[in-house]
Amino acid sequence: MHLYWTRLEDEQCSLVLAATDQGVCCVGITLEEIQEWGSKHLGDAELVEAPEKMALYKSQLQEYLAGERTIFDLPLDLKGTPFQLKVFEALQQIPYGSTVSYADIAEAIGNPKAVRAVGGAIGKNPVLIAVPCHRVIGKNGTLTGFSSGIPLKKKLLTIEKVPFKD
């Protein structure tokens, strides 16, 4: 099995994108993150730099970062526990330019008492932006944790013209 990757350098951010033959599986800040994710979820998959294979993924992310794309049309190859996969599915239902709370996601997956577990699952989201965990904020409108850092979360919400409290 191969884990294909490429870099996306943009004035908004710098990302490393990775995909299997089934679809995008990981978007991170560093190649080390991608390697770590690959080792954990794909075992001995060969890491292959493949800009041509990643061109569709890269172009859709560039369009998003330029404010030209609001919906992703990418095959995803999400890995995680059944609970995490439910959370990732709920994240994909958050419309562009909107935010929800962790409690809203817990409610959406039919487990309203699992707010902390939802937060843990969101923190393990491997596909930044296309699985929009950046759209989850605190109940009071404040920005809460983001695995790739609050500055990137602010940039993404600003692209979507979402008001938030600093």
Side-chain angles (χ1 to χ4, degrees), residues 1-8 15-28 30-31 33-35 37-39 42 44-58 61 75 77 126-127:
M1 174 180 272
H2 292 99
L3 180 58
Y4 306 103
W5 71 276
T6 194
R7 291 187 192 281
L8 183 154
L15 299 169
V16 181
L17 320 175
T20 63
D21 288 318
Q22 287 70 46
V24 176
C25 59
C26 194
V27 176
T30 66
L31 186 56
E33 278 181 81
I34 301 300
Q35 289 171 314
W37 183 93
S39 293
L42 303 175
D44 60 357
E46 181 184 355
L47 198 59
V48 177
E49 187 171 11
E52 66 291 337
K53 186 161 183 73
M54 301 296 296
L56 172 66
Y57 308 137
K58 185 174 180 176
L61 281 168
D77 185 10
V127 183

Side-chain angles (χ1 to χ4, degrees), residues 94-116:
I94 306 168
Y96 180 92
S98 301
T99 58
V100 300
S101 70
Y102 294 91
D104 293 330
I105 297 294
E107 189 73 38
I109 65 167
N111 200 341
K113 294 185 180 186
V115 176
R116 289 183 72 152

